[in-house]
Structure formats: structure tokens, C-alpha cells
Amino acid sequence: MQYTKAFFIKLAMTIIVLWIILGLFYRVSFGNILLIGTLLSIVSFVGDVFILPKIGNFIASVSDLFLAFFVIWGLGTWVYGENTSMFAAAFVSALFIGLGEMFYHRYFKEHVIETIQEPEKNQGYTYTPRIAQTEFSQDFDEGLEKKENNDITKSETEGPIK
């Protein structure tokens, strides 16, 4: 469930950034924004799941910036051809997506990775057996007389002998 929520947060962030930059400034249709945003979110989310825990937030954000640039530029050039300035559109979009990824990675590490990898907390004392444990103490029943029917004699009620 945490992965699904995190993916949809990433998808929403990517589509909103692409809609603001590509849709409002470069007149790209919303269907193409959904296509580019969905493909970019899927590819970068797989990277976030497997690579982010190993390399850290800053390097993962920079790699997402380059990934966003190349995906937007490549798909934009393929979909729209050479008549649109996709290099500038991809560069500006990638900058804002990279900035958003820094915050998203912080959320992802704190709410998804930490909860998945958090070990179960110990609820009480755990006995760990040790080899050759020895306990030393004095015998309290020295000098006590016992009857055959295990009744306590007068000497036993007085306490241990000193």
C-alpha cells in the first residue's frame, strides 16, 4: 500500500509540473502530457525503489533530473517532430521535476523505505542462553533437620545458621 500511494504522489507531481510547463507555455495536449508523465513516473519510480536506498537523495535527484530531461526530450521530439523547441521545454521541465524529486525522495525514504525495512521492536526482555553459565550462592538450608514426613522442625523456623 505504501508503494502505491508513493507512486501516485510521484505521478501527480510529474503530471502537474508537465501540465504547467508543457501545457501552458508550449501548448502540448493533455493526452500527450499524460503519456509522457506516466512513462516518466514508471521508469523513475522503479529507480527510486531499487536505487534510492543505495545512493542517497542528492545523487538520485540529479539522476532523475537527467532521466526526466532525456525522456521528455526523446518522447517530445518523437511525438511533435522538430517544429517544437523540445530541448528548452525538456530542460525547464526537468529542472522543476528534479527540484520536486528532492522533496519526494525525502518523503519516500521516511514513509516507505523506513516502514518496510524497520525491524520489529522488542517488547520485553529477551533471554539469551549462554554457554557455561554458573550461579554462586550460599546454601540456606545447612544444618536444618528434616523429618521423614517433611514437617518443619523448630530449628528450621529460626532461620539459617550463621
Side-chain angles (χ1 to χ4, degrees):
M1 184 67 182
Q2 287 106 355
Y3 285 112
T4 306
K5 182 179 175 184
F7 174 74
F8 283 115
I9 289 172
K10 182 180 200 71
L11 180 66
M13 178 195 70
T14 305
I15 289 175
I16 289 170
V17 168
L18 290 177
W19 179 71
I20 290 171
I21 295 171
L22 295 180
L24 296 178
F25 294 113
Y26 291 94
R27 305 284 185 226
V28 175
S29 69
F30 190 71
N32 289 331
I33 290 172
L34 281 177
L35 174 72
I36 293 171
T38 303
L39 290 176
L40 179 61
S41 295
I42 290 171
V43 171
S44 63
F45 185 75
V46 171
D48 289 341
V49 170
F50 294 109
I51 297 172
L52 176 64
K54 296 177 183 171
I55 63 173
N57 187 11
F58 180 74
I59 297 173
S61 296
V62 171
S63 65
D64 279 338
L65 182 138
F66 285 114
L67 177 71
F69 173 74
F70 286 116
V71 168
I72 295 168
W73 184 51
L75 286 176
T77 304
W78 179 64
V79 170
Y80 300 111
E82 297 294 326
N83 58 358
T84 306
S85 174
M86 282 312 296
F87 185 83
F91 182 72
V92 173
S93 298
L95 283 178
F96 283 102
I97 287 174
L99 181 67
E101 289 289 333
M102 290 177 63
F103 296 107
Y104 173 76
H105 288 162
R106 186 179 308 153
Y107 164 80
F108 192 77
K109 286 178 87 171
E110 291 176 1
H111 291 90
V112 177
I113 295 174
E114 294 293 325
T115 58
I116 299 297
Q117 295 179 351
E118 183 176 294
E120 294 182 20
K121 294 184 178 178
N122 191 358
Q123 298 296 327
Y125 175 76
T126 303
Y127 173 74
T128 55
R130 305 209 192 279
I131 299 174
Q133 273 190 335
T134 306
E135 183 177 317
F136 296 99
S137 68
Q138 294 180 349
D139 291 332
F140 291 113
D141 59 352
E142 288 181 17
L144 297 178
E145 300 172 12
K146 294 196 177 201
K147 294 183 178 179
E148 290 184 23
N149 63 358
N150 293 332
D151 288 336
I152 299 175
T153 63
K154 185 177 180 185
S155 64
E156 290 179 334
T157 58
E158 295 173 1
I161 300 174
K162 294 183 181 179

